[in-house]
């Protein structure tokens, strides 16, 4: 669990900006190529199995470092068209885009109806479905990158892992295209990584991503963000006592009192934990992200929901 990357959650929006408007294709010699059978089983069949369902194609995230959608849609236009051709033949589609992302809204208009949503909707599948299809139940959600990967397979290409990469330990702030089988070490070295300064590697979002402890491990095919952090990026991990600042309360999308839930768990008060809404926590990680005392609030609540 990545927490407290910055002391103020709002600062992240200024730091996670892309330097390059094009995708950098990293040449990794040992990457694995998909064969025809793998393409059929892992990419085409899942869509066929959802034939007839209405489709939401999501092109946004509430996490600030997963913001390469505009670049990816623009740079992989032909693959997107091919993937959409397949989806439209079996389903009705609509796009869901962050209401603040005007450029991406315009880019997707040529492919279908675009519904503007608040980025926080990313945390609630039911709310996203309700917003796009007015309480329809027979709905499936795909990420636009999945549609591009489908299009690549149908175009006879190897599917790519398209991910935004940030961090002061590398020459980052860009979207990169990786082949299946690429390791974090290979990405790090390809981006002129500084091994002396590297402190932490995170797979996924800056708010609730997961640590990568072995750089020789393979980048997950669903990865949309990688962080290679230095001491400057990731300040002290030492935790302190709660200072009652209320930041965790203000950022909680469920309106919970996160630090209170942590205290109830530590006291073994399961009934009170439930009474204060502990089981309603959606594990977004915003409370830990905002905490100036570096308290692992989100991870503790996640553990608390499992205790008897």
């Amino acid at each position: 669990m990545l927490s407290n990357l910055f002391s103020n959650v709002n600062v992240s929006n200024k730091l996670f900006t892309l330097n390059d408007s094009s995708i950098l294709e990293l040449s990794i010699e040992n990457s694995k190529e998909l064969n025809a059978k793998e393409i059929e089983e892992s990419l085409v069949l899942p869509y066929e199995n959802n034939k007839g369902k209405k489709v939401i194609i999501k092109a946004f995230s509430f996490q600030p470092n997963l913001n390469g959608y505009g670049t990816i849609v623009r740079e992989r236009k032909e693959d997107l068209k091919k993937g959409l051709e397949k989806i439209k033949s079996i389903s009705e589609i609509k796009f869901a885009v962050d209401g603040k992302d005007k450029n991406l809204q315009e880019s997707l208009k040529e492919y279908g109806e675009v519904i503007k949503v608040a980025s926080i909707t990313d945390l609630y599948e039911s709310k996203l479905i309700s917003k796009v299809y007015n309480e329809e139940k027979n709905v499936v959600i795909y990420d636009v990158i999945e549609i591009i990967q489908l299009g690549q397979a149908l175009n006879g290409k190897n599917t790519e892992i398209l991910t935004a990469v940030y961090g002061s330990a590398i020459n980052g702030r860009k979207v990169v295209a990786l082949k299946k089988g690429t390791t974090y070490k290979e990405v790090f070295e390809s981006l002129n990584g500084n091994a002396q300064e590297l402190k932490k590697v995170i797979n996924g979002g800056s708010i609730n991503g997961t640590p990568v402890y072995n750089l020789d491990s393979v980048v997950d095919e669903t990865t949309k963000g990688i962080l290679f952090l230095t001491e400057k990026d990731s300040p002290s991990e030492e935790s302190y006592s709660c200072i009652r600042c209320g930041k965790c309360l203000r950022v909680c999308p469920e309106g919970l009192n996160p630090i209170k839930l942590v205290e109830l768990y530590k006291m073994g008060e399961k009934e009170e934990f439930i009474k204060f809404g502990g089981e309603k926590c959606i594990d977004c990680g915003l409370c830990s992200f905002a905490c100036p005392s570096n308290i692992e609030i989100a991870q503790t609540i996640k553990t608390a929901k499992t205790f008897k």
Side-chain angles (χ1 to χ4, degrees):
M1 174 68 69
L2 172 64
S3 63
N4 311 309
L5 182 55
F6 305 102
S7 60
N8 185 328
V9 69
N10 296 319
V11 175
S12 61
N13 295 321
K14 300 176 182 178
L15 295 180
F16 292 124
T17 55
L18 294 171
N19 276 342
D20 301 314
S21 59
S22 60
I23 295 175
L24 175 64
E25 298 183 23
L26 298 185
S27 299
I28 308 297
E29 294 182 0
N30 297 322
S31 55
K32 179 182 177 183
E33 297 184 358
L34 288 178
N35 59 40
K37 183 178 180 180
E38 286 178 307
I39 289 172
E40 176 70 20
E41 292 179 349
S42 65
L43 290 168
V44 178
L45 286 181
Y47 297 100
E48 291 284 358
N49 292 337
N50 284 316
K51 185 175 182 178
K53 292 185 178 181
K54 294 182 177 179
V55 170
I56 297 172
I57 300 178
K58 186 174 74 71
F60 72 98
S61 174
F62 86 104
Q63 305 208 57
N65 68 310
L66 307 186
N67 61 357
Y69 287 104
T71 298
I72 292 168
V73 166
R74 183 176 61 254
E75 290 283 302
R76 294 295 184 265
K77 182 175 290 189
E78 294 306 313
D79 296 322
L80 176 59
K81 286 181 179 178
K82 191 66 175 180
L84 287 173
E85 182 181 300
K86 175 65 176 179
I87 299 301
K88 287 180 177 180
S89 71
I90 58 178
S91 305
E92 174 187 345
I93 73 158
K94 291 184 182 181
F95 294 96
V97 179
D98 185 347
K100 296 179 181 179
D101 195 338
K102 307 295 184 184
N103 292 332
L104 187 53
Q105 291 169 37
E106 289 299 317
S107 295
L108 291 173
K109 275 184 180 179
E110 66 174 285
Y111 306 114
E113 183 178 355
V114 177
I115 306 298
K116 296 181 287 186
V117 299
S119 63
I120 198 70
T121 313
D122 187 31
L123 299 174
Y124 302 95
E125 182 175 298
S126 60
K127 289 184 179 180
L128 178 57
I129 292 173
S130 176
K131 175 70 175 178
V132 176
Y133 279 117
N134 298 317
E135 304 296 338
E136 289 279 352
K137 301 299 182 183
N138 197 29
V139 178
V140 62
I141 301 172
Y142 298 128
D143 192 281
V144 71
I145 296 176
E146 293 178 277
I147 307 302
I148 290 172
Q149 291 170 333
L150 172 63
Q152 290 174 335
L154 294 173
N155 278 327
K157 302 176 182 178
N158 290 317
T159 56
E160 299 172 311
I161 300 171
L162 298 165
T163 180
V165 183
Y166 290 92
S168 299
I170 55 164
N171 178 20
R173 296 177 67 185
K174 60 190 64 179
V175 177
V176 300
L178 312 174
K179 293 182 180 179
K180 183 180 179 181
T182 303
T183 67
Y184 291 94
K185 183 178 182 180
E186 289 170 329
V187 177
F188 182 68
E189 292 177 345
S190 295
L191 295 175
N192 301 316
N194 187 326
Q196 283 70 42
E197 292 190 1
L198 181 64
K199 179 182 178 183
K200 184 186 297 184
V201 180
I202 300 297
N203 175 78
S206 55
I207 295 175
N208 65 356
T210 55
V212 176
Y213 298 107
N214 180 7
L215 290 185
D216 288 320
S217 59
V218 172
V219 178
D220 188 271
E221 294 174 62
T222 62
T223 294
K224 298 181 182 67
I226 305 174
L227 299 168
F228 292 99
L229 307 175
T230 64
E231 187 75 35
K232 179 180 69 174
D233 298 325
S234 182
S236 172
E237 296 179 353
E238 183 178 356
S239 62
Y240 305 92
S241 299
C242 174
I243 59 174
R244 304 299 173 185
C245 66
K247 285 187 176 181
C248 61
L249 283 77
R250 292 196 292 273
V251 300
C252 179
E254 286 293 311
L256 304 177
N257 185 335
I259 195 63
K260 176 70 173 178
L261 294 174
V262 169
E263 292 169 351
L264 291 172
Y265 167 65
K266 290 182 176 179
M267 292 188 294
E269 297 286 349
K270 182 178 181 181
E271 291 186 4
E272 288 297 300
F273 177 85
I274 296 173
K275 179 180 176 181
F276 276 84
E279 294 186 340
K280 295 179 181 178
C281 171
I282 59 175
D283 301 325
C284 67
L286 286 169
C287 50
S288 288
F289 190 75
C291 179
S293 295
N294 285 359
I295 301 172
E296 282 285 4
I297 304 173
Q299 188 61 45
T300 303
I301 295 175
K302 187 173 184 178
T303 301
K305 288 191 291 182
T306 67
F307 83 106
K308 305 299 183 181

